[in-house]
Amino acid sequence: MSTTSGKAKRKPWFSYILIVIALGCVITLFNSGALNAGRGSFGLFVTGVFDTVITGRADAEPQQPAAVTLGDIGQSDGLFIAGYPSYANVSLPVVRDTPLSQVRLVLQGTQDLSESAIAAMRVVVNGERVLERVLVPGTREFRWVIALPESALHGQELNVGIQLHGDLPDALCHNDRSIGAVVTLDARSGIEMDLDRAVSSLRDVVNLLPAEVTIAVPAAGATDFVPLALRLGARMTQRGYAVKFIDLEALDRYRLATRGLILLGTSDQLAASGFERFVSDAGHDGAATLWRQGDFVHLGLTDAGRMDVADFITSDMLPIARTAFVSPSQFVESQGDELMTRFGDIGVDTSVQRIAESRSWDIGYGLASLPDGRVPDRLRLAIRLPEGPGDFTNLVHTELNGVLIDSRHMETGRLNTFTLTLPHEVQNLRNDLRVSVQRHREAGGCTIAERRYPVQLLPESGFLYDADTPPLAGLAGLPSLFRDRVALRFPSGLSGSERLAAMELGAEVVASFVPLTAHIDFDYVDAANGMTNAAMEPFISINQAPSNVELPILVDGDRISMSGRRRVNRADIRSVSNVAILQAVTATLPRPGPQQPNRVISVPGLVAHALDTPPSLMTSPIGQERVAVVHDEGAVLTLD
């Protein structure tokens, strides 16, 4: 007879079963989107593991997703949303000719929510709601990954709208609702696209270019690509890109692997630099083609004489370039309406906006982007307002370059159309116009709920021109004087960083001062002692001046000298670097005529010097002065 010394241990099968059921519920909730909206990075990880276990691993690993962030489209500071209700929107480009397996919206940043407030964030993509989330009180970081449905993926870009709504507690009454919540999206927010294959069309490659692009130009060779580089760089700068240049031969040394690279050079030069043609039988060299190196597909221009190709790929006709190769045999853009520029034609958001208290439209315009480089004389506004409570007061305020030029009442429930004068003395080479609609309600307090109302700035709003308006004075008047034809005089014999700095300055000068439809005559000049042969037509001279011009500021290497200026009586300064000097000048030409043996005519021009590597001109407030020294980003020293 046998006996046992203790009780036999029982295995906790019931506990194991409960754990398995709990894990299954968690996986199911993440996979269905009921927990964490199925949108967090951990949620997507769990979903992916679940799918792998159920369906098995794919034969090929997916490629690294193509990402477009706020930083890529120029929003380097991200987006800031505060108060109830508040709204922000951004447009992100997507590929259209390359198959996609999935597109995800990535939102990351910080939230700061009052402990006693209630707030929720709603995300809408192309009009379809993709996320609704109640925010947790306190200060915390977040990263949400939202898999977008196919129904939201239409058009050449994704319009992402982010709404913050909520309320303060009844015990707290405050006029400023922004004290409730603040949400900041950092520049890494954007979209991720899982591509089934490499990007294969010109329009997709160009649409995915980031806000900062680099143009690689051969430094040697029998074919000169500098004129094409300047043309392309100027056109892209006018489109809002920040353009830099690099020697094609230096790409391997700098290991520049980026989506923002554009290649110039013959087919042999691009092949020698390690690139291969994306489509081997793409055709002859006189076109824009795609070139590949590693994981990146780049735009390449291989015929130095095809200025029309550069014009085409930076025009509104780009959406028809759906293949890896395009060759326009002729492309000349039209000039547009000479008496009006409509907001709907220059990219102003004229869609219906839903506002609670106010809405502002910020409209930046450069004179070189307007017809014939003319200065607008008047502004026509057409604004439609909804019906509303009888105690609403509707106002519209107009500011130009920080100056309030108009403020008036508008009527509720109708189309308000009016015309106001744009004073010439306030306008610059580049201008910032702000149109603000303000809705004020007599009744207020915490018992009155905030509501959003539709408001629309109509597309027929725009700039009006008089037929005989003279150009502005100084530098701001040059676009009008260059409207037909201008000679671009570029110094010969430059190399290295000096050549690249002169090209960057030249591209920005052309973008700032030459209208799109003007004809540009490119010419190399030998700048002996900083002076060249006489100018015979309207001109732009880079790093040198024609012999028949008197400069207010003399530039010799890193030395500048001047006398009799408004700020300086006499000066001779050496070791000047990292500045750009712009001077609006006139070249004198003898033109004797009958009974006028001493007759002299004047030719307008611009002399621009780059001392070392100057800052960009594109954010500089260049006005109607004749001389401007750009010494920092957005900072200009005027000397007259």
Side-chain angles (χ1 to χ4, degrees), residues 478-510:
L478 291 178
S480 178
L481 301 176
F482 294 160
R483 63 184 177 273
D484 297 322
R485 197 179 197 99
V486 64
L488 179 58
R489 301 157 65 92
F490 196 82
S492 60
L494 298 182
S495 61
S497 60
E498 186 181 10
R499 168 178 173 265
L500 297 176
M503 291 175 62
E504 290 176 8
L505 178 64
E508 291 192 348
V509 164
V510 171

PDB file of all heavy atoms in Angstrom, residues 478-510:
ATOM      1  N   LEU A 478      11.866  97.885 -61.238  1.00  0.00           N
ATOM      2  CA  LEU A 478      12.579  97.167 -62.296  1.00  0.00           C
ATOM      3  C   LEU A 478      11.754  96.082 -62.988  1.00  0.00           C
ATOM      4  O   LEU A 478      11.900  95.886 -64.198  1.00  0.00           O
ATOM      5  CB  LEU A 478      13.868  96.577 -61.740  1.00  0.00           C
ATOM      6  CG  LEU A 478      14.949  97.605 -61.356  1.00  0.00           C
ATOM      7  CD1 LEU A 478      16.169  96.907 -60.772  1.00  0.00           C
ATOM      8  CD2 LEU A 478      15.348  98.452 -62.563  1.00  0.00           C
ATOM      9  N   PRO A 479      10.887  95.303 -62.301  1.00  0.00           N
ATOM     10  CA  PRO A 479      10.111  94.293 -63.028  1.00  0.00           C
ATOM     11  C   PRO A 479       9.322  94.867 -64.198  1.00  0.00           C
ATOM     12  O   PRO A 479       9.236  94.242 -65.262  1.00  0.00           O
ATOM     13  CB  PRO A 479       9.192  93.712 -61.943  1.00  0.00           C
ATOM     14  CG  PRO A 479       9.968  93.884 -60.684  1.00  0.00           C
ATOM     15  CD  PRO A 479      10.668  95.192 -60.840  1.00  0.00           C
ATOM     16  N   SER A 480       8.753  96.047 -64.032  1.00  0.00           N
ATOM     17  CA  SER A 480       8.010  96.661 -65.128  1.00  0.00           C
ATOM     18  C   SER A 480       8.943  97.068 -66.272  1.00  0.00           C
ATOM     19  O   SER A 480       8.590  96.947 -67.452  1.00  0.00           O
ATOM     20  CB  SER A 480       7.236  97.877 -64.619  1.00  0.00           C
ATOM     21  OG  SER A 480       6.542  98.515 -65.671  1.00  0.00           O
ATOM     22  N   LEU A 481      10.149  97.504 -65.932  1.00  0.00           N
ATOM     23  CA  LEU A 481      11.110  97.924 -66.963  1.00  0.00           C
ATOM     24  C   LEU A 481      11.724  96.733 -67.688  1.00  0.00           C
ATOM     25  O   LEU A 481      12.248  96.880 -68.792  1.00  0.00           O
ATOM     26  CB  LEU A 481      12.208  98.777 -66.322  1.00  0.00           C
ATOM     27  CG  LEU A 481      11.724 100.055 -65.618  1.00  0.00           C
ATOM     28  CD1 LEU A 481      12.891 100.760 -64.938  1.00  0.00           C
ATOM     29  CD2 LEU A 481      11.041 100.989 -66.616  1.00  0.00           C
ATOM     30  N   PHE A 482      11.676  95.541 -67.070  1.00  0.00           N
ATOM     31  CA  PHE A 482      12.219  94.327 -67.684  1.00  0.00           C
ATOM     32  C   PHE A 482      11.125  93.483 -68.339  1.00  0.00           C
ATOM     33  O   PHE A 482      11.353  92.314 -68.645  1.00  0.00           O
ATOM     34  CB  PHE A 482      12.933  93.479 -66.625  1.00  0.00           C
ATOM     35  CG  PHE A 482      14.167  94.104 -66.044  1.00  0.00           C
ATOM     36  CD1 PHE A 482      14.664  93.668 -64.820  1.00  0.00           C
ATOM     37  CD2 PHE A 482      14.846  95.115 -66.703  1.00  0.00           C
ATOM     38  CE1 PHE A 482      15.811  94.227 -64.278  1.00  0.00           C
ATOM     39  CE2 PHE A 482      15.994  95.692 -66.170  1.00  0.00           C
ATOM     40  CZ  PHE A 482      16.475  95.243 -64.952  1.00  0.00           C
ATOM     41  N   ARG A 483       9.945  94.032 -68.570  1.00  0.00           N
ATOM     42  CA  ARG A 483       8.794  93.223 -68.964  1.00  0.00           C
ATOM     43  C   ARG A 483       8.932  92.590 -70.345  1.00  0.00           C
ATOM     44  O   ARG A 483       8.342  91.527 -70.595  1.00  0.00           O
ATOM     45  CB  ARG A 483       7.523  94.063 -68.917  1.00  0.00           C
ATOM     46  CG  ARG A 483       7.505  95.238 -69.877  1.00  0.00           C
ATOM     47  CD  ARG A 483       6.246  96.086 -69.696  1.00  0.00           C
ATOM     48  NE  ARG A 483       6.238  97.257 -70.564  1.00  0.00           N
ATOM     49  CZ  ARG A 483       6.782  98.415 -70.261  1.00  0.00           C
ATOM     50  NH1 ARG A 483       7.394  98.564 -69.082  1.00  0.00           N
ATOM     51  NH2 ARG A 483       6.731  99.439 -71.098  1.00  0.00           N
ATOM     52  N   ASP A 484       9.690  93.188 -71.247  1.00  0.00           N
ATOM     53  CA  ASP A 484       9.793  92.650 -72.610  1.00  0.00           C
ATOM     54  C   ASP A 484      11.054  91.824 -72.802  1.00  0.00           C
ATOM     55  O   ASP A 484      11.000  90.681 -73.262  1.00  0.00           O
ATOM     56  CB  ASP A 484       9.759  93.790 -73.634  1.00  0.00           C
ATOM     57  CG  ASP A 484       8.447  94.547 -73.617  1.00  0.00           C
ATOM     58  OD1 ASP A 484       7.390  93.885 -73.435  1.00  0.00           O
ATOM     59  OD2 ASP A 484       8.466  95.777 -73.759  1.00  0.00           O
ATOM     60  N   ARG A 485      12.191  92.397 -72.466  1.00  0.00           N
ATOM     61  CA  ARG A 485      13.462  91.736 -72.747  1.00  0.00           C
ATOM     62  C   ARG A 485      14.512  92.248 -71.775  1.00  0.00           C
ATOM     63  O   ARG A 485      14.517  93.417 -71.404  1.00  0.00           O
ATOM     64  CB  ARG A 485      13.892  92.019 -74.192  1.00  0.00           C
ATOM     65  CG  ARG A 485      14.956  91.107 -74.741  1.00  0.00           C
ATOM     66  CD  ARG A 485      15.302  91.462 -76.191  1.00  0.00           C
ATOM     67  NE  ARG A 485      16.009  90.387 -76.844  1.00  0.00           N
ATOM     68  CZ  ARG A 485      15.454  89.492 -77.648  1.00  0.00           C
ATOM     69  NH1 ARG A 485      14.152  89.559 -77.891  1.00  0.00           N
ATOM     70  NH2 ARG A 485      16.174  88.532 -78.208  1.00  0.00           N
ATOM     71  N   VAL A 486      15.410  91.371 -71.355  1.00  0.00           N
ATOM     72  CA  VAL A 486      16.479  91.764 -70.456  1.00  0.00           C
ATOM     73  C   VAL A 486      17.709  90.908 -70.764  1.00  0.00           C
ATOM     74  O   VAL A 486      17.587  89.727 -71.105  1.00  0.00           O
ATOM     75  CB  VAL A 486      16.055  91.610 -68.970  1.00  0.00           C
ATOM     76  CG1 VAL A 486      15.777  90.161 -68.624  1.00  0.00           C
ATOM     77  CG2 VAL A 486      17.105  92.192 -68.041  1.00  0.00           C
ATOM     78  N   ALA A 487      18.863  91.532 -70.670  1.00  0.00           N
ATOM     79  CA  ALA A 487      20.123  90.825 -70.879  1.00  0.00           C
ATOM     80  C   ALA A 487      20.690  90.418 -69.524  1.00  0.00           C
ATOM     81  O   ALA A 487      20.856  91.257 -68.638  1.00  0.00           O
ATOM     82  CB  ALA A 487      21.112  91.711 -71.616  1.00  0.00           C
ATOM     83  N   LEU A 488      20.983  89.123 -69.367  1.00  0.00           N
ATOM     84  CA  LEU A 488      21.584  88.616 -68.135  1.00  0.00           C
ATOM     85  C   LEU A 488      23.081  88.451 -68.379  1.00  0.00           C
ATOM     86  O   LEU A 488      23.512  87.577 -69.132  1.00  0.00           O
ATOM     87  CB  LEU A 488      20.941  87.290 -67.735  1.00  0.00           C
ATOM     88  CG  LEU A 488      21.490  86.621 -66.471  1.00  0.00           C
ATOM     89  CD1 LEU A 488      21.352  87.549 -65.266  1.00  0.00           C
ATOM     90  CD2 LEU A 488      20.775  85.304 -66.210  1.00  0.00           C
ATOM     91  N   ARG A 489      23.871  89.306 -67.758  1.00  0.00           N
ATOM     92  CA  ARG A 489      25.319  89.348 -67.968  1.00  0.00           C
ATOM     93  C   ARG A 489      25.990  88.619 -66.801  1.00  0.00           C
ATOM     94  O   ARG A 489      25.997  89.106 -65.672  1.00  0.00           O
ATOM     95  CB  ARG A 489      25.778  90.796 -68.064  1.00  0.00           C
ATOM     96  CG  ARG A 489      25.105  91.563 -69.208  1.00  0.00           C
ATOM     97  CD  ARG A 489      25.128  93.074 -68.971  1.00  0.00           C
ATOM     98  NE  ARG A 489      26.483  93.604 -68.963  1.00  0.00           N
ATOM     99  CZ  ARG A 489      27.118  94.089 -70.025  1.00  0.00           C
ATOM    100  NH1 ARG A 489      26.502  94.124 -71.203  1.00  0.00           N
ATOM    101  NH2 ARG A 489      28.343  94.566 -69.932  1.00  0.00           N
ATOM    102  N   PHE A 490      26.578  87.462 -67.123  1.00  0.00           N
ATOM    103  CA  PHE A 490      27.170  86.593 -66.095  1.00  0.00           C
ATOM    104  C   PHE A 490      28.680  86.568 -66.277  1.00  0.00           C
ATOM    105  O   PHE A 490      29.178  86.432 -67.400  1.00  0.00           O
ATOM    106  CB  PHE A 490      26.600  85.178 -66.210  1.00  0.00           C
ATOM    107  CG  PHE A 490      26.827  84.311 -65.018  1.00  0.00           C
ATOM    108  CD1 PHE A 490      25.998  84.398 -63.909  1.00  0.00           C
ATOM    109  CD2 PHE A 490      27.882  83.407 -64.990  1.00  0.00           C
ATOM    110  CE1 PHE A 490      26.203  83.592 -62.806  1.00  0.00           C
ATOM    111  CE2 PHE A 490      28.097  82.598 -63.887  1.00  0.00           C
ATOM    112  CZ  PHE A 490      27.252  82.692 -62.784  1.00  0.00           C
ATOM    113  N   PRO A 491      29.440  86.697 -65.189  1.00  0.00           N
ATOM    114  CA  PRO A 491      30.901  86.747 -65.329  1.00  0.00           C
ATOM    115  C   PRO A 491      31.475  85.405 -65.771  1.00  0.00           C
ATOM    116  O   PRO A 491      31.062  84.344 -65.299  1.00  0.00           O
ATOM    117  CB  PRO A 491      31.377  87.132 -63.925  1.00  0.00           C
ATOM    118  CG  PRO A 491      30.274  86.718 -63.022  1.00  0.00           C
ATOM    119  CD  PRO A 491      29.003  86.878 -63.799  1.00  0.00           C
ATOM    120  N   SER A 492      32.428  85.459 -66.666  1.00  0.00           N
ATOM    121  CA  SER A 492      33.103  84.246 -67.125  1.00  0.00           C
ATOM    122  C   SER A 492      34.273  83.927 -66.194  1.00  0.00           C
ATOM    123  O   SER A 492      34.741  84.777 -65.436  1.00  0.00           O
ATOM    124  CB  SER A 492      33.605  84.431 -68.558  1.00  0.00           C
ATOM    125  OG  SER A 492      34.520  85.520 -68.619  1.00  0.00           O
ATOM    126  N   GLY A 493      34.743  82.695 -66.279  1.00  0.00           N
ATOM    127  CA  GLY A 493      35.938  82.316 -65.538  1.00  0.00           C
ATOM    128  C   GLY A 493      35.724  82.006 -64.078  1.00  0.00           C
ATOM    129  O   GLY A 493      36.704  81.804 -63.344  1.00  0.00           O
ATOM    130  N   LEU A 494      34.475  81.934 -63.592  1.00  0.00           N
ATOM    131  CA  LEU A 494      34.248  81.605 -62.192  1.00  0.00           C
ATOM    132  C   LEU A 494      34.318  80.094 -61.980  1.00  0.00           C
ATOM    133  O   LEU A 494      34.002  79.305 -62.875  1.00  0.00           O
ATOM    134  CB  LEU A 494      32.878  82.111 -61.735  1.00  0.00           C
ATOM    135  CG  LEU A 494      32.629  83.619 -61.776  1.00  0.00           C
ATOM    136  CD1 LEU A 494      31.242  83.927 -61.240  1.00  0.00           C
ATOM    137  CD2 LEU A 494      33.685  84.375 -60.999  1.00  0.00           C
ATOM    138  N   SER A 495      34.696  79.689 -60.780  1.00  0.00           N
ATOM    139  CA  SER A 495      34.765  78.270 -60.459  1.00  0.00           C
ATOM    140  C   SER A 495      34.517  78.082 -58.975  1.00  0.00           C
ATOM    141  O   SER A 495      34.569  79.032 -58.188  1.00  0.00           O
ATOM    142  CB  SER A 495      36.138  77.685 -60.838  1.00  0.00           C
ATOM    143  OG  SER A 495      37.169  78.339 -60.113  1.00  0.00           O
ATOM    144  N   GLY A 496      34.252  76.843 -58.598  1.00  0.00           N
ATOM    145  CA  GLY A 496      34.092  76.502 -57.193  1.00  0.00           C
ATOM    146  C   GLY A 496      32.936  77.214 -56.535  1.00  0.00           C
ATOM    147  O   GLY A 496      31.884  77.463 -57.136  1.00  0.00           O
ATOM    148  N   SER A 497      33.131  77.570 -55.267  1.00  0.00           N
ATOM    149  CA  SER A 497      32.070  78.192 -54.483  1.00  0.00           C
ATOM    150  C   SER A 497      31.693  79.564 -55.020  1.00  0.00           C
ATOM    151  O   SER A 497      30.534  79.992 -54.894  1.00  0.00           O
ATOM    152  CB  SER A 497      32.505  78.313 -53.019  1.00  0.00           C
ATOM    153  OG  SER A 497      33.676  79.097 -52.909  1.00  0.00           O
ATOM    154  N   GLU A 498      32.631  80.277 -55.634  1.00  0.00           N
ATOM    155  CA  GLU A 498      32.316  81.589 -56.198  1.00  0.00           C
ATOM    156  C   GLU A 498      31.314  81.456 -57.343  1.00  0.00           C
ATOM    157  O   GLU A 498      30.381  82.256 -57.464  1.00  0.00           O
ATOM    158  CB  GLU A 498      33.598  82.269 -56.686  1.00  0.00           C
ATOM    159  CG  GLU A 498      33.394  83.704 -57.159  1.00  0.00           C
ATOM    160  CD  GLU A 498      34.674  84.350 -57.651  1.00  0.00           C
ATOM    161  OE1 GLU A 498      35.687  83.632 -57.814  1.00  0.00           O
ATOM    162  OE2 GLU A 498      34.668  85.580 -57.865  1.00  0.00           O
ATOM    163  N   ARG A 499      31.495  80.440 -58.170  1.00  0.00           N
ATOM    164  CA  ARG A 499      30.553  80.190 -59.273  1.00  0.00           C
ATOM    165  C   ARG A 499      29.180  79.814 -58.738  1.00  0.00           C
ATOM    166  O   ARG A 499      28.150  80.330 -59.215  1.00  0.00           O
ATOM    167  CB  ARG A 499      31.115  79.082 -60.162  1.00  0.00           C
ATOM    168  CG  ARG A 499      30.147  78.496 -61.186  1.00  0.00           C
ATOM    169  CD  ARG A 499      30.874  77.451 -62.022  1.00  0.00           C
ATOM    170  NE  ARG A 499      29.994  76.723 -62.906  1.00  0.00           N
ATOM    171  CZ  ARG A 499      29.433  75.554 -62.613  1.00  0.00           C
ATOM    172  NH1 ARG A 499      29.656  75.001 -61.423  1.00  0.00           N
ATOM    173  NH2 ARG A 499      28.646  74.940 -63.474  1.00  0.00           N
ATOM    174  N   LEU A 500      29.119  78.939 -57.740  1.00  0.00           N
ATOM    175  CA  LEU A 500      27.840  78.507 -57.194  1.00  0.00           C
ATOM    176  C   LEU A 500      27.108  79.663 -56.518  1.00  0.00           C
ATOM    177  O   LEU A 500      25.887  79.805 -56.652  1.00  0.00           O
ATOM    178  CB  LEU A 500      28.063  77.365 -56.206  1.00  0.00           C
ATOM    179  CG  LEU A 500      28.664  76.075 -56.790  1.00  0.00           C
ATOM    180  CD1 LEU A 500      28.914  75.068 -55.685  1.00  0.00           C
ATOM    181  CD2 LEU A 500      27.764  75.481 -57.863  1.00  0.00           C
ATOM    182  N   ALA A 501      27.848  80.514 -55.781  1.00  0.00           N
ATOM    183  CA  ALA A 501      27.220  81.666 -55.129  1.00  0.00           C
ATOM    184  C   ALA A 501      26.667  82.639 -56.156  1.00  0.00           C
ATOM    185  O   ALA A 501      25.572  83.203 -55.979  1.00  0.00           O
ATOM    186  CB  ALA A 501      28.216  82.366 -54.217  1.00  0.00           C
ATOM    187  N   ALA A 502      27.398  82.853 -57.258  1.00  0.00           N
ATOM    188  CA  ALA A 502      26.911  83.746 -58.311  1.00  0.00           C
ATOM    189  C   ALA A 502      25.674  83.165 -58.985  1.00  0.00           C
ATOM    190  O   ALA A 502      24.742  83.905 -59.346  1.00  0.00           O
ATOM    191  CB  ALA A 502      28.017  83.996 -59.339  1.00  0.00           C
ATOM    192  N   MET A 503      25.622  81.837 -59.151  1.00  0.00           N
ATOM    193  CA  MET A 503      24.441  81.211 -59.751  1.00  0.00           C
ATOM    194  C   MET A 503      23.226  81.344 -58.842  1.00  0.00           C
ATOM    195  O   MET A 503      22.113  81.614 -59.319  1.00  0.00           O
ATOM    196  CB  MET A 503      24.735  79.742 -60.065  1.00  0.00           C
ATOM    197  CG  MET A 503      25.750  79.546 -61.190  1.00  0.00           C
ATOM    198  SD  MET A 503      26.168  77.808 -61.425  1.00  0.00           S
ATOM    199  CE  MET A 503      24.587  77.127 -61.884  1.00  0.00           C
ATOM    200  N   GLU A 504      23.413  81.130 -57.538  1.00  0.00           N
ATOM    201  CA  GLU A 504      22.285  81.259 -56.619  1.00  0.00           C
ATOM    202  C   GLU A 504      21.768  82.686 -56.581  1.00  0.00           C
ATOM    203  O   GLU A 504      20.548  82.917 -56.579  1.00  0.00           O
ATOM    204  CB  GLU A 504      22.716  80.798 -55.226  1.00  0.00           C
ATOM    205  CG  GLU A 504      22.933  79.290 -55.145  1.00  0.00           C
ATOM    206  CD  GLU A 504      23.461  78.847 -53.788  1.00  0.00           C
ATOM    207  OE1 GLU A 504      23.508  79.690 -52.868  1.00  0.00           O
ATOM    208  OE2 GLU A 504      23.825  77.659 -53.650  1.00  0.00           O
ATOM    209  N   LEU A 505      22.680  83.655 -56.566  1.00  0.00           N
ATOM    210  CA  LEU A 505      22.243  85.051 -56.610  1.00  0.00           C
ATOM    211  C   LEU A 505      21.546  85.357 -57.927  1.00  0.00           C
ATOM    212  O   LEU A 505      20.498  86.019 -57.954  1.00  0.00           O
ATOM    213  CB  LEU A 505      23.444  85.979 -56.414  1.00  0.00           C
ATOM    214  CG  LEU A 505      23.131  87.478 -56.489  1.00  0.00           C
ATOM    215  CD1 LEU A 505      22.197  87.905 -55.358  1.00  0.00           C
ATOM    216  CD2 LEU A 505      24.423  88.301 -56.456  1.00  0.00           C
ATOM    217  N   GLY A 506      22.101  84.861 -59.047  1.00  0.00           N
ATOM    218  CA  GLY A 506      21.488  85.106 -60.347  1.00  0.00           C
ATOM    219  C   GLY A 506      20.088  84.534 -60.451  1.00  0.00           C
ATOM    220  O   GLY A 506      19.175  85.179 -60.981  1.00  0.00           O
ATOM    221  N   ALA A 507      19.889  83.316 -59.941  1.00  0.00           N
ATOM    222  CA  ALA A 507      18.558  82.705 -59.999  1.00  0.00           C
ATOM    223  C   ALA A 507      17.554  83.494 -59.175  1.00  0.00           C
ATOM    224  O   ALA A 507      16.414  83.724 -59.612  1.00  0.00           O
ATOM    225  CB  ALA A 507      18.631  81.258 -59.517  1.00  0.00           C
ATOM    226  N   GLU A 508      17.947  83.943 -57.984  1.00  0.00           N
ATOM    227  CA  GLU A 508      17.025  84.700 -57.141  1.00  0.00           C
ATOM    228  C   GLU A 508      16.764  86.089 -57.707  1.00  0.00           C
ATOM    229  O   GLU A 508      15.643  86.610 -57.587  1.00  0.00           O
ATOM    230  CB  GLU A 508      17.578  84.793 -55.718  1.00  0.00           C
ATOM    231  CG  GLU A 508      17.570  83.462 -54.981  1.00  0.00           C
ATOM    232  CD  GLU A 508      17.841  83.621 -53.497  1.00  0.00           C
ATOM    233  OE1 GLU A 508      18.249  84.725 -53.078  1.00  0.00           O
ATOM    234  OE2 GLU A 508      17.640  82.642 -52.753  1.00  0.00           O
ATOM    235  N   VAL A 509      17.757  86.698 -58.327  1.00  0.00           N
ATOM    236  CA  VAL A 509      17.558  88.012 -58.946  1.00  0.00           C
ATOM    237  C   VAL A 509      16.574  87.900 -60.113  1.00  0.00           C
ATOM    238  O   VAL A 509      15.658  88.725 -60.253  1.00  0.00           O
ATOM    239  CB  VAL A 509      18.907  88.596 -59.395  1.00  0.00           C
ATOM    240  CG1 VAL A 509      18.695  89.740 -60.377  1.00  0.00           C
ATOM    241  CG2 VAL A 509      19.700  89.089 -58.186  1.00  0.00           C
ATOM    242  N   VAL A 510      16.748  86.887 -60.955  1.00  0.00           N
ATOM    243  CA  VAL A 510      15.819  86.704 -62.075  1.00  0.00           C
ATOM    244  C   VAL A 510      14.414  86.426 -61.549  1.00  0.00           C
ATOM    245  O   VAL A 510      13.426  86.976 -62.051  1.00  0.00           O
ATOM    246  CB  VAL A 510      16.306  85.566 -62.989  1.00  0.00           C
ATOM    247  CG1 VAL A 510      15.245  85.225 -64.031  1.00  0.00           C
ATOM    248  CG2 VAL A 510      17.602  85.964 -63.685  1.00  0.00           C
TER     249      VAL A 510
END
